[in-house]
């Protein structure tokens, strides 16, 4: 059984030697005091307004995009076919 385990470890180490690890924000991931953010410990505590915390940002983004769409439509209709032709040429 030891030989089988050793063979498995050799295969894994060989694979690791030819692999690449990509870590984003490596300074935060490897910082000993901030790593708890990535690997929390202790009891789970619900976040205040956790189920609704994305409603306001999504509402604001939707409002901005709706206004932008209306402004673009008004601009294109006021410019007539010239703006449409220029947009198609680009």
């Amino acid at each position: 059984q030891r030989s089988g385990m050793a063979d498995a470890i050799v295969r894994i180490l060989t694979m690791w030697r030819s692999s690449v690890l990509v870590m984003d924000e490596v300074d935060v991931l490897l910082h000993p005091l901030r790593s708890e953010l990535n690997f929390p410990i202790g009891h789970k505590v619900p976040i205040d307004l956790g189920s609704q915390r994305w409603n306001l940002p999504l509402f604001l983004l939707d409002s901005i995009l709706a206004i932008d769409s209306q402004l673009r439509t008004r601009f294109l209709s006021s410019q007539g076919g010239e703006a449409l032709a220029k947009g198609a040429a680009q």
Side-chain angles (χ1 to χ4, degrees), residues 22-34:
V22 177
M23 292 174 44
D24 189 24
E25 302 295 336
V26 70
D27 55 334
V28 175
L29 290 173
L30 297 179
H31 192 283
L33 299 177
R34 294 183 187 169

Side-chain angles (χ1 to χ4, degrees), residues 11-78:
R11 285 194 306 264
I12 291 170
L13 291 175
T14 303
M15 180 182 66
W16 282 357
R17 285 189 188 127
S18 63
S19 300
V20 175
L21 174 64
V22 177
M23 292 174 44
D24 189 24
E25 302 295 336
V26 70
D27 55 334
V28 175
L29 290 173
L30 297 179
H31 192 283
L33 299 177
R34 294 183 187 169
S35 62
E36 187 174 333
L37 295 173
N38 297 313
F39 304 102
I41 58 174
H43 299 290
K44 292 183 180 181
V45 179
I47 298 173
D48 293 337
L49 299 172
S51 63
Q52 298 178 0
R53 65 184 177 162
W54 288 105
N55 288 344
L56 178 62
L58 289 175
F59 174 78
L60 293 174
L61 184 60
D62 186 46
S63 300
I64 291 168
L65 293 175
I67 290 170
D68 180 60
S69 176
Q70 289 174 0
L71 290 175
R72 287 176 189 259
T73 302
R74 287 181 189 167
F75 175 76
L76 291 175
S77 65
S78 70

